[in-house]
Amino acid sequence: KIEVKILSLTIFKQLSFESYDETTKTLLLAIPNKQLYEKLESSYIETLSIVLQKFFGKGVELLYRIQQA
């Protein structure tokens, strides 16, 4: 269980805030590579959605900018 928490922290530490558009409720995060994007979407998107709704409200759209292809 500790190993999973460390992996989770490692993944989230690699995300960085790019912008938030209040009009469209669109949040843009930078993510270092496609592999991390795929891991985040497959394993952590529900958790991330809950956190985003808490801070930005319902209906927030999440977009990513992948830094390396």
Side-chain angles (χ1 to χ4, degrees):
K1 192 168 184 173
I2 292 172
E3 197 171 303
V4 171
K5 286 184 180 182
I6 291 171
L7 178 60
S8 298
L9 287 175
T10 302
I11 288 173
F12 287 107
K13 282 184 175 184
Q14 295 181 64
L15 300 176
S16 55
F17 175 82
E18 288 276 319
S19 65
Y20 178 70
D21 184 324
E22 288 187 43
T23 305
T24 61
K25 295 185 81 172
T26 303
L27 175 67
L28 178 62
L29 298 179
I31 195 163
N33 56 57
K34 189 173 181 176
Q35 292 80 14
L36 189 64
Y37 161 77
E38 290 170 353
K39 181 65 177 172
L40 183 69
E41 282 287 307
S42 67
S43 301
Y44 299 101
I45 195 62
E46 288 181 28
T47 301
L48 191 54
S49 294
I50 291 167
V51 172
L52 292 178
Q53 283 187 23
K54 181 176 181 177
F55 287 99
F56 295 98
K58 288 190 177 189
V60 66
E61 180 182 10
L62 177 60
L63 300 176
Y64 302 99
R65 182 176 63 80
I66 300 174
Q67 297 171 331
Q68 296 175 356

